[in-house]
Amino acid sequence: MIKPDMDEVASKVPAVTLGFWAIKILATTLGETAGDTLSMSLDMGYLVSTAIFGGLLALFIAAQIKARTFHPALYWTTILASTTAGTTLADFATRSLGIGYSGGSLLLLTLVLGSLAAWKATLGRIASDDLRGMRPELFYWVTITFSQTLGTALGDWLADTGGRGYLGAAVIFALALAGVAALYRLTRTSRVLLFWAAFVLTRPLGAAVGDFLDKPLASGGLDLSRPLASAVLLGAIALLLVVIPQRAGRHPA
């Protein structure tokens, strides 16, 4: 019998496994369809939808910080709140503010890098699993929310401005993720850098797939019902959480 390493303790976030990334991609796809449901299908607009999802995100982050141990349902609900808020916030920045997809992507990339830089400068290191205390958790969730927002803008930029279409954009981002996986397996590239690169890239992949599902046929989509697509994706996430039980990550005590 292998004894647990007494120099390590359980984290409040899940272990980063293949199952983690599968659920993350589904969650980002749901974020696109759910965000569009509120802002477009229900015609609530980007700003109001962002305020709604942003309020929910703040509540879930507070609950996540207050929790003492890892709770899969709470963690992934917080991720879903961040990805839906990211969808409507990105749409507001790129469309309502008129800075376009390229301008929005550049702005949001700056915010992601700025958040990581502030995290490093404040705490001395960046770790996606070692979240002891309020400050690292706040940096974690702020960076995640910025990365979700950036991913939406990148997906829209490549699909529309880049002229690749939704499926073309999805293929490109999937190949980029495969490249990150290859770097993880074959090189000693910083694991922190690779984690955040993969985290950012899963978002535009989900955004492209989500747009392909619910955008009109004339725009290259399947014109599926946004609420129905969201319900199916939510069911798939719930099923994966049962089939692939989430375990807490480990970090040095």
Side-chain angles (χ1 to χ4, degrees):
M1 180 178 177
I2 299 176
K3 295 183 179 181
D5 188 345
M6 297 307 293
D7 293 330
E8 291 188 344
V9 295
S11 177
K12 292 172 62 176
V13 296
V16 180
T17 61
L18 187 60
F20 171 90
W21 293 116
I23 297 172
K24 171 62 167 60
I25 292 172
L26 285 176
T28 58
T29 307
L30 173 57
E32 189 71 18
T33 58
D36 288 348
T37 295
L38 202 62
S39 63
M40 298 180 188
S41 297
L42 298 181
D43 199 26
M44 300 191 70
Y46 301 129
L47 188 57
V48 172
S49 299
T50 299
I52 293 172
F53 287 130
L56 291 173
L57 175 60
L59 290 175
F60 290 131
I61 289 176
Q64 179 72 20
I65 291 175
K66 187 176 180 180
R68 294 182 178 273
T69 58
F70 169 60
H71 299 282
L74 175 59
Y75 177 84
W76 286 109
T77 300
T78 311
I79 289 290
L80 286 174
S82 73
T83 192
T84 47
T87 295
T88 55
L89 180 58
D91 288 342
F92 176 75
T94 57
R95 300 171 187 175
S96 298
L97 294 183
I99 60 177
Y101 296 132
S102 55
S105 298
L106 182 59
L107 170 63
L108 293 164
L109 175 60
T110 302
L111 290 174
V112 171
L113 295 177
S115 177
L116 289 171
W119 189 347
K120 179 70 163 58
T122 302
L123 301 179
R125 62 190 293 265
I126 300 170
S128 58
D129 56 353
D130 187 357
L131 304 177
R132 289 170 288 179
M134 179 180 293
R135 287 195 299 174
E137 285 202 72
L138 284 175
F139 277 119
Y140 178 83
W141 288 108
V142 167
T143 306
I144 279 181
T145 302
F146 283 154
S147 73
Q148 306 277 38
T149 311
L150 168 62
T152 299
L154 283 176
D156 290 342
W157 173 74
L158 192 60
D160 295 338
T161 306
R164 301 296 180 180
Y166 303 122
L167 282 183
V171 170
I172 290 172
F173 287 120
L175 290 174
L177 276 172
V180 172
L183 288 174
Y184 179 84
R185 290 291 184 182
L186 304 175
T187 73
R188 296 184 178 181
T189 304
S190 166
R191 275 22 188 174
V192 172
L193 174 63
L194 293 178
F195 172 83
W196 288 108
F199 208 96
V200 169
L201 287 170
T202 53
R203 182 63 185 97
L205 172 60
V209 173
D211 281 338
F212 175 69
L213 293 175
D214 65 27
K215 287 297 187 286
L217 294 173
S219 300
L222 295 179
D223 200 20
L224 299 179
S225 163
R226 291 185 181 111
L228 177 59
S230 299
V232 171
L233 289 166
L234 183 60
I237 291 171
L239 179 62
L240 279 184
L241 286 174
V242 173
V243 175
I244 309 175
Q246 298 288 287
R247 60 182 175 82
R250 311 290 297 182
H251 65 74

